[in-house]
């Protein structure tokens, strides 16, 4: 794949709790053969360290990403051992430091399909709604909106304050999909990963990316409790 042919989904990870949601989205995009550009905010690095016990470093981002994506939502370090392509295909995932405001995704001429912010903190929501562009994540989100590309904002906070609600309305009016990280239970969840995958799957649904992360509603009451319902 040449640079001219490559049109990635940009995944922004902000500092809200919920790094397993981001990992599930990244795994699904990679599994679907979708190229990914990754932006991890400075605050998200702290959250990753807190939630996984491991750092995320610019100089070692591929090794750190491989370890992160292999980890299950329950903390199992080897739940998804083959999540990142073993050959290190540079077209599969590209990483841009959050402080690099000259990075490719900072420009509307950069060929991208759209962006998913998973999870989105309230600070991130405010920055994007107000057009602050204080880092590459916010700048890329602003570019995505102005170019009328899909933007999915998986906000992860509770309760929500009045100002944040107003900012979410502003994002909706600007064309973004506001997607609260709110798991559902009709899919027959048995494990933490099932709940995480439901939210990740709904984010991918909003972006129009095919996946098999959760069992879809078919109109059959009681099917969540049936044996093998998550198969």
């Amino acid at each position: 794949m040449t640079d001219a042919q490559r049109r990635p989904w940009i995944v922004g990870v902000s500092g809200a709790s919920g790094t397993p949601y981001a990992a599930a989205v990244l795994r699904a995009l990679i599994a679907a053969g979708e190229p990914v550009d990754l932006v991890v905010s400075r605050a998200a690095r702290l959250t990753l360290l807190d939630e996984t016990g491991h750092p995320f470093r610019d100089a070692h981002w591929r090794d750190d990403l491989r370890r992160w994506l292999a980890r299950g939502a329950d903390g199992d370090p080897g739940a998804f051992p083959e999540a990142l392509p073993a050959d290190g295909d540079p077209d599969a995932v590209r990483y841009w430091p959050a402080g690099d405001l000259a990075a490719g995704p900072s420009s509307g001429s950069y060929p991208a399909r759209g962006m998913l912010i998973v999870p989105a903190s309230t600070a991130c929501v405010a920055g994007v709604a107000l057009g602050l562009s204080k880092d590459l994540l916010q700048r890329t989100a602003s570019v995505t909106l102005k170019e009328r590309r899909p933007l999915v904002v998986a906000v992860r906070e509770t309760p929500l304050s009045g100002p944040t609600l107003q900012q979410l309305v502003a994002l909706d009016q600007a064309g973004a999909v506001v997607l609260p990280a709110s798991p559902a239970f009709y899919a027959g969840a048995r494990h933490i990963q099932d709940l995480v995958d439901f939210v990740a799957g709904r984010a991918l649904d909003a972006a129009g990316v095919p996946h098999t992360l959760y069992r879809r509603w078919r109109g059959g009451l009681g099917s969540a409790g049936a044996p093998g319902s998550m198969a």
Side-chain angles (χ1 to χ4, degrees), residues 151-173:
L151 173 63
V152 180
V153 180
V155 60
R156 217 307 304 161
E157 183 62 272
T158 189
L160 294 169
S161 68
T164 297
L165 290 169
Q166 292 173 342
Q167 290 153 2
L168 291 172
V169 170
L171 288 178
D172 175 79
Q173 293 173 339

Side-chain angles (χ1 to χ4, degrees), residues 15-21 46-54 71 73 75 119:
S17 177
T19 55
Y21 293 130
L46 298 177
T47 307
L48 269 166
L49 182 61
D50 185 52
E51 294 186 347
T52 71
H54 298 292
R71 182 185 177 91

Side-chain angles (χ1 to χ4, degrees), residues 92-115:
V93 182
R94 292 181 183 175
Y95 169 70
W96 303 94
D100 184 3
L101 290 174
S106 68
S107 171
S109 66
Y110 185 78
R113 294 191 60 185
M115 183 178 188

Side-chain angles (χ1 to χ4, degrees), residues 35-73:
V36 173
D37 278 20
L38 177 63
V39 181
V40 180
S41 75
R42 291 180 62 187
R45 294 174 186 239
L46 298 177
T47 307
L48 269 166
L49 182 61
D50 185 52
E51 294 186 347
T52 71
H54 298 292
F56 192 89
R57 302 160 293 178
D58 289 348
H60 305 282
W61 72 266
R62 187 168 290 276
D63 289 338
D64 293 343
L65 179 63
R66 190 182 305 279
R67 181 169 50 205
W68 176 24
L69 297 191
R71 182 185 177 91

